[in-house]
Amino acid sequence: MYTREQRAKIQGYLSSVWGISAVTGPLLGGFFVDKLSWRYVFWMNIPLGLLAMVGILLFFHENLSKEQRKIDYFGTIWIFLAISTLLVILVEIDGTNTFTSPLFWVMGTSSAVCFMLFLFQERRAAVPAMPLEIWRNRLIALANIASLTTGIIIIAITSYLPAFIQGVMGKSATIAGFTLTTMSIGWPIASTIAGRLLLKIGYRKTSILGSLFLVSGGVMFLFLTPERGPGWAGAGSFLIGAGMGMTSTSFIVGIQSNVNWNMRGTATASNMFMRSLGSALGVAFFGGILNSYVKAAMLKSGMEGDLSIHSVNQLLDPNEVGKMSDTLQTTLKEALSSGLHMTFSSMLILALVSAALIWFLPSNEIKRHE
């Protein structure tokens, strides 16, 4: 709908609107958990969803020449099976006998076979779900892989930072929500700035600037301790949000400027898919790491018979944590802290990988298909 010059600004505005609405999410969710019930976090989706439907029906109008298109059902099924089995493997990592388990190798082989079948199907499908030729474009390939790694970073924060704030620091869910809100503040600010920088310095330099924010945020999380407090965590989240705002806006605009009009939807969707895939893989992988460290800490303490992985959830419940002995609280906090520290260390490594990928982006080789 917009020219290349207009797209940079519009994409920044869209990201800003998303970010502004996301600012209220963590805080509102924390309020529901603290004052009402966690169920309200899900119930509120009903009126918001209805409002979104009404808005789309009333205000979103487009004129398209409709034509019959085939749906790549087999390609969708194969990639679904490949990713699903991989997620199960990652979730079940426990640091003990995972890699010697027959089930691990069966599911791993199944995932690899399904992925190969997906690639075969995409080569032969008349209308593939994900055309493989877009991956031959250097910009798209690097931006998509970087989106995968940044997607893992985002989920590492949104899923496990609240656990650190509540379980290790002993703060409330509202304060944990605040540390996430700073990321939602940094994201739209950086997206708006990126929309202007793209027209002046190009998407590669803008992306590199965003990667510096990601690495800086990763360093802050590496040195996060209970003594540093929620303010340190909030500052790290802000930097990560700024990095995501810069990179995601640059990726989308760069990708859309490098393909023909009829491929923009597919190319854009591939980038969004990779970021979503990164989030799914990240939460499963880091969940497996966390489970592994918690189990190891329980074994070391000799209290495994009295505890389970689910015992850690008691640290997040103000009503339950008061019922624990000091020894039990210390054991669980140390177990949770060690697992989350490994998560944050991995997050910094991923930020460095993202920065390396971004560095090799082509220098604004924009093909004009306006």
Side-chain angles (χ1 to χ4, degrees):
M1 294 173 63
Y2 299 94
T3 65
R4 180 175 68 91
E5 289 74 16
Q6 292 173 321
R7 280 201 299 273
K9 293 182 179 180
I10 295 298
Q11 187 63 42
Y13 294 154
L14 288 174
S15 297
S16 298
V17 171
W18 173 88
I20 292 171
S21 62
V23 165
T24 60
L27 285 177
L28 193 59
F31 172 79
F32 286 154
V33 173
D34 280 341
K35 304 300 181 182
L36 299 174
S37 169
W38 59 267
R39 292 175 176 83
Y40 283 92
V41 173
F42 299 97
W43 282 115
M44 69 177 294
N45 290 330
I46 296 177
L48 292 178
L50 292 173
L51 284 173
M53 291 172 64
V54 171
I56 290 172
L57 291 172
L58 292 179
F59 302 108
F60 184 53
H61 306 290
E62 56 182 346
N63 297 317
L64 294 176
S65 56
K66 298 182 179 180
E67 58 184 66
Q68 189 69 28
R69 299 296 295 266
K70 294 182 180 179
I71 299 177
D72 184 13
Y73 291 107
F74 285 106
T76 304
I77 292 172
W78 290 131
I79 194 63
F80 165 75
L81 292 175
I83 293 174
S84 298
T85 50
L86 179 59
L87 291 178
V88 173
I89 293 172
L90 293 175
V91 169
E92 293 301 318
I93 292 176
D94 60 10
T96 54
N97 61 348
T98 299
F99 300 106
T100 58
S101 168
L103 182 61
F104 172 84
W105 291 104
V106 169
M107 295 195 70
T109 303
S110 299
S111 179
V113 170
C114 288
F115 183 71
M116 295 302 295
L117 290 171
F118 167 74
L119 294 178
F120 175 75
Q121 171 63 20
E122 296 311 278
R123 289 191 178 96
R124 62 186 292 270
V127 184
M130 183 183 292
L132 299 182
E133 60 264 24
I134 65 175
W135 287 86
R136 298 188 182 99
N137 184 301
R138 180 182 171 191
L139 168 66
I140 295 178
L142 290 174
N144 283 356
I145 298 173
S147 292
L148 177 75
T149 56
T150 54
I152 298 175
I153 293 172
I154 286 297
I155 205 64
I157 296 177
T158 55
S159 294
Y160 299 110
L161 180 57
F164 190 93
I165 301 299
Q166 293 177 255
V168 180
M169 290 187 179
K171 304 298 182 179
S172 68
T174 301
I175 294 178
F178 160 76
T179 61
L180 293 181
T181 298
T182 58
M183 180 174 66
S184 298
I185 294 174
W187 194 314
I189 292 175
S191 294
T192 303
I193 295 174
R196 299 180 182 278
L197 287 178
L198 285 168
L199 300 176
K200 295 181 179 180
I201 62 176
Y203 60 77
R204 181 176 181 270
K205 291 181 179 178
T206 304
S207 299
I208 290 175
L209 180 60
S211 70
L212 295 178
F213 282 113
L214 288 174
V215 173
S216 299
V219 170
M220 293 199 69
F221 278 107
L222 181 66
F223 294 102
L224 177 63
T225 61
E227 293 74 24
R228 296 189 186 276
W232 184 278
S237 292
F238 179 86
L239 290 173
I240 294 293
M244 287 300 301
M246 287 268 183
T247 56
S248 62
T249 302
S250 301
F251 290 163
I252 293 298
V253 174
I255 287 172
Q256 292 178 347
S257 299
N258 270 261
V259 295
N260 292 313
W261 184 89
N262 61 343
M263 286 296 293
R264 280 182 189 163
T266 301
T268 303
S270 72
N271 186 260
M272 298 176 69
F273 170 76
M274 292 299 289
R275 191 167 71 189
S276 298
L277 177 61
S279 296
L281 294 176
V283 73
F285 176 67
F286 289 131
I289 290 179
L290 187 59
N291 290 346
S292 175
Y293 270 79
V294 170
K295 282 188 176 182
M298 290 176 182
L299 283 171
K300 185 178 180 180
S301 68
M303 302 178 67
E304 188 187 25
D306 302 322
L307 299 173
S308 68
I309 293 293
H310 301 290
S311 300
V312 178
N313 292 333
Q314 295 177 278
L315 288 175
L316 310 182
D317 190 338
N319 297 323
E320 294 293 328
V321 72
K323 301 176 184 178
M324 297 181 182
S325 64
D326 292 340
T327 302
L328 181 57
Q329 286 189 43
T330 301
T331 299
L332 288 175
K333 284 185 177 182
E334 289 179 353
L336 185 61
S337 180
S338 62
L340 291 174
H341 181 73
M342 177 56 66
T343 296
F344 297 145
S345 300
S346 302
M347 189 176 71
L348 174 58
I349 294 173
L350 289 167
L352 291 171
V353 171
S354 301
L357 291 167
I358 289 171
W359 181 262
F360 288 103
L361 286 174
S363 299
N364 291 12
E365 297 173 3
I366 296 179
K367 301 174 183 178
R368 295 179 178 272
H369 298 294
E370 309 304 346

